[in-house]
Amino acid sequence: MRELGVQTLLDLLGIFVFALSGALAAVRQRLDVVGMVVLAEITALGGGIVRDLVIGAVPPAAFTSLGYVLTPLAATVLVFHWHPQVARLMPAVMFFDAAGLGLFCATGTTKALEHGLSPLHAVLLGVITAIGGGVLRDMLSGQIPSVLYDRQLYALPALVGAAAVAAGWAADLHGSAVTAAAAALAFALRALAMRYGWRTPRPRGVTDRP
């Protein structure tokens, strides 16, 4: 029961930080409060809904837990009233995105493994959990999804974090500590990539986007 509580807390934390990034993206696109709520909810819950549908955990957790719906609303209220302060406290949207990415790839992989998926398929689903909401956010706000060109590493940190969870599972290391460590690993890789401009390679002769 205690493990379940910690897992839920980590999930809600990931939902909150992804919702912040969605709400901030809406502010940057000059959307109204309805647009903020939509982007916050989609960013926070989109990847998890896809995950739950794939593993057969229906109805998805987003539709059975009041906290999953109210947490993005709380993030929206925070950004609605104090978005200049929120944006100044952290490196804007990308910091929140990195935190959510790490948390979601770890919790998504863990849930997939608990539902009997193989380590490889659990890793793939963990990555989808992490990037799904961000892809939907970018599409709805009129941007090319970052994952399509992995700007400053996006999918790769999620893959590393998900693989760390699967490796721990294979070594019979389960629990919230493993999940949190994998999330921190993915977050650190993403943060370092943003700090130092690391990028995945492009085909030979293809230059950066203007």
Side-chain angles (χ1 to χ4, degrees):
M1 183 65 67
R2 181 176 180 275
E3 283 292 329
L4 181 60
V6 173
Q7 186 72 35
T8 300
L9 181 62
L10 286 173
D11 221 14
L12 289 174
L13 181 58
I15 287 170
F16 183 74
V17 294
F18 258 30
L20 284 177
S21 77
L24 282 170
V27 172
R28 295 176 66 183
Q29 295 297 318
R30 306 182 68 84
L31 302 183
D32 63 13
V33 66
V34 175
M36 291 180 66
V37 171
V38 169
L39 283 191
E41 294 281 355
I42 287 292
T43 306
L45 304 177
I49 290 172
V50 172
R51 173 201 64 205
D52 289 349
L53 290 175
V54 169
I55 63 179
V58 291
F63 295 98
T64 60
S65 170
L66 190 60
Y68 279 38
V69 176
L70 294 182
T71 299
L73 290 179
T76 302
V77 170
L78 179 66
V79 174
F80 182 83
H81 289 287
W82 297 287
H83 63 88
Q85 292 86 344
V86 173
R88 283 198 299 267
L89 283 174
M90 305 295 177
V93 176
M94 304 308 288
F95 174 87
F96 299 115
D97 200 55
L101 186 81
L103 287 164
F104 272 31
C105 74
T107 58
T109 305
T110 298
K111 190 167 184 178
L113 288 166
E114 290 173 347
H115 278 75
L117 268 66
S118 71
L120 175 61
H121 292 100
V123 167
L124 293 176
L125 196 54
V127 173
I128 290 172
T129 305
I131 69 175
V135 169
L136 293 172
R137 177 201 63 216
D138 291 347
M139 292 176 64
L140 288 175
S141 59
Q143 303 177 57
I144 298 176
S146 299
V147 68
L148 295 184
Y149 52 98
D150 217 13
R151 178 180 58 197
Q152 295 181 338
L153 303 191
Y154 192 81
L156 184 60
L159 179 63
V160 171
V165 172
W169 188 276
D172 202 28
L173 297 173
H174 306 172
S176 58
V178 174
T179 302
L185 175 62
F187 170 75
L189 180 56
R190 173 75 168 137
L192 287 171
M194 290 190 292
R195 173 66 177 82
Y196 295 106
W198 297 344
R199 296 171 179 260
T200 50
R202 291 177 170 81
R204 185 176 180 180
V206 176
T207 59
D208 288 348
R209 294 176 54 83

